[in-house]
Amino acid sequence: MKKLAIILGIMALGASMVLAYGPGMGKGFYNGGFGMAQGYNQNVGPGWGGCPVAGYYAGQQQTTQQLTQDEAKAKVQEFLAANLKGYEISNVQQFNVPRGQMYQFSVSDDNGNTLILRVNPFGYVVGPFATWTSPQ
């Protein structure tokens, strides 16, 4: 009889824990719970845990002013003057990314070292990335 009471007590404790937490993720802090849930909140739109989501989902289109090739070249020149003295721009490529135009600059020095710098649509200079030629 004692063993049956212990087993039933353990099962009741387990069942109460399952019912208390519910299946899967909770409703989120802002929706009345403490878990992460994707869903709609009346005030902020879809997001994880009812947190406000910037951009499209909050009803605000993000607009960025497109960077021109001359502006990107000026940013790379500033970067070269501050960080890579002796390097000059040797090649420019432009390609499309989901947020706009991205520019890739090949820069080289007098010794033949070549690096790649990229300027993303927001105007940030990314790199330098090393380049090399395959052995023959």
Side-chain angles (χ1 to χ4, degrees), residues 66-79 89 92-94 101-105 119-120 123 125:
Q66 293 297 313
L67 197 65
T68 64
Q69 187 168 353
D70 294 332
E71 293 170 341
K73 191 172 187 176
K75 289 192 178 282
V76 169
Q77 291 289 357
E78 286 178 28
F79 182 83
I89 296 173
V92 180
Q93 294 177 349
Q94 173 184 349
Q101 301 290 325
M102 190 164 190
Y103 300 96
Q104 179 171 307
F105 293 87
V119 180
N120 67 13
V125 178

Side-chain angles (χ1 to χ4, degrees), residues 35-116:
M36 290 189 333
Q38 62 186 38
Y40 290 91
N41 189 338
Q42 292 177 342
N43 300 327
V44 295
W48 288 97
C51 296
V53 178
Y56 178 76
Y57 292 114
Q60 304 168 355
Q61 289 286 346
Q62 289 183 352
T63 57
T64 57
Q65 193 168 4
Q66 293 297 313
L67 197 65
T68 64
Q69 187 168 353
D70 294 332
E71 293 170 341
K73 191 172 187 176
K75 289 192 178 282
V76 169
Q77 291 289 357
E78 286 178 28
F79 182 83
L80 291 176
N83 300 307
L84 298 171
K85 293 176 177 37
Y87 280 83
E88 295 179 358
I89 296 173
S90 59
N91 187 16
V92 180
Q93 294 177 349
Q94 173 184 349
F95 50 95
N96 294 327
V97 293
R99 297 287 178 153
Q101 301 290 325
M102 190 164 190
Y103 300 96
Q104 179 171 307
F105 293 87
S106 295
V107 295
S108 57
D109 65 354
D110 295 335
N111 295 332
N113 300 322
T114 303
L115 301 172
I116 293 176

Side-chain angles (χ1 to χ4, degrees), residues 112 114 130-136:
T114 303
T131 61
W132 62 90
T133 58
S134 61
Q136 296 179 7

